[in-house]
Amino acid sequence: MDETTLLPFNVETREVVYQDRNQRISRIIAQFDGFTKEYYVSDHGQRAALLAVRDGEVLLVRQYRLLINGISYEIPGGKVEEDETPEAAAIRECIEETGVQCSNLKPLISYHPSLDIWDNYTHVFYSELPEETALDSLNQRGWIPLEHCIDMVVTQQLVDGLSIVALLTYNTLVNKR
């Protein structure tokens, strides 16, 4: 039996099998009643993102992504550094990726993207007070109507999981009020 609904009686990190500046992959052994299961967990640290909304439009950044070998439309976000809060990281990432400064952030949703092999707890905030601080001379960002963003999710033009969670949560919890 490889899976169980019972908790293991012992969980032990055996070794770090790989580490770079972005992640640490550890081999973890979980001992259950009658069998042992081996996991390889990739720890990327906490992540923060920001859904910036202005006049019914959402700020998206365009970035090349290897796994789709194409340009992805995403909300700005990235790693929470050791010396910052998730909220500060979301603000910093938005400025770095788009040149847009946001204030009056509100928590939108926090979640685990994976519960078995990816340790990357994610915090998403939203702001309805964005302020342009730099020109987008490379056309790396765009303000897209929220309804069009939802259509992009449904038609699989927008496939980034973080952005999908943020857009659908905002549309359900905040936009429908």
Side-chain angles (χ1 to χ4, degrees):
M1 175 181 223
D2 291 330
E3 299 295 327
T4 185
T5 58
L6 302 175
L7 295 175
F9 61 83
N10 187 36
V11 176
E12 178 182 332
T13 300
R14 292 285 171 96
E15 62 187 311
V16 174
V17 296
Y18 177 80
Q19 186 168 349
D20 64 22
R21 65 182 182 89
N22 296 316
Q23 66 181 325
R24 181 180 62 240
I25 300 174
S26 300
R27 180 174 164 249
I28 299 174
I29 306 296
Q31 297 173 338
F32 294 89
D33 187 22
F35 70 96
T36 299
K37 187 165 180 180
E38 183 177 65
Y39 295 89
Y40 288 88
V41 176
S42 181
D43 181 350
H44 291 258
Q46 290 188 63
R47 186 174 186 194
L50 181 53
L51 184 74
V53 182
R54 175 184 74 188
D55 299 324
E57 294 182 327
V58 173
L59 176 64
L60 296 180
V61 63
R62 297 175 60 228
Q63 300 186 66
Y64 170 78
R65 295 299 187 202
L66 175 68
L67 295 181
I68 62 169
N69 192 27
I71 301 298
S72 175
Y73 290 91
E74 306 170 5
I75 67 170
K79 184 176 182 167
V80 177
E81 301 296 338
E82 287 185 36
D83 62 337
E84 67 186 346
T85 65
E87 184 175 347
I91 292 168
R92 175 184 51 77
E93 287 287 342
C94 189
I95 292 170
E96 287 177 0
E97 294 181 9
T98 70
V100 173
Q101 168 80 44
C102 291
S103 58
N104 194 29
L105 271 62
K106 296 179 179 136
L108 183 60
I109 190 168
S110 295
Y111 65 98
H112 289 279
S114 172
L115 296 176
D116 57 352
I117 61 169
W118 194 14
D119 191 0
N120 191 215
Y121 195 70
T122 301
H123 308 269
V124 183
F125 300 89
Y126 75 96
S127 172
E128 296 173 324
L129 295 173
E131 181 181 320
E132 304 273 349
T133 61
L135 295 176
D136 182 21
S137 59
L138 300 176
N139 196 27
Q140 293 179 302
R141 68 173 189 235
W143 290 96
I144 310 219
L146 177 61
E147 287 184 23
H148 184 66
C149 290
I150 301 301
D151 289 342
M152 290 172 69
V153 169
V154 172
T155 60
Q156 299 180 359
Q157 294 171 303
L158 193 152
V159 295
D160 168 58
L162 170 63
S163 299
I164 291 170
V165 168
L167 287 163
L168 295 179
T169 302
Y170 180 85
N171 193 50
T172 301
L173 298 181
V174 179
N175 189 47
K176 298 298 182 186
R177 290 183 186 163

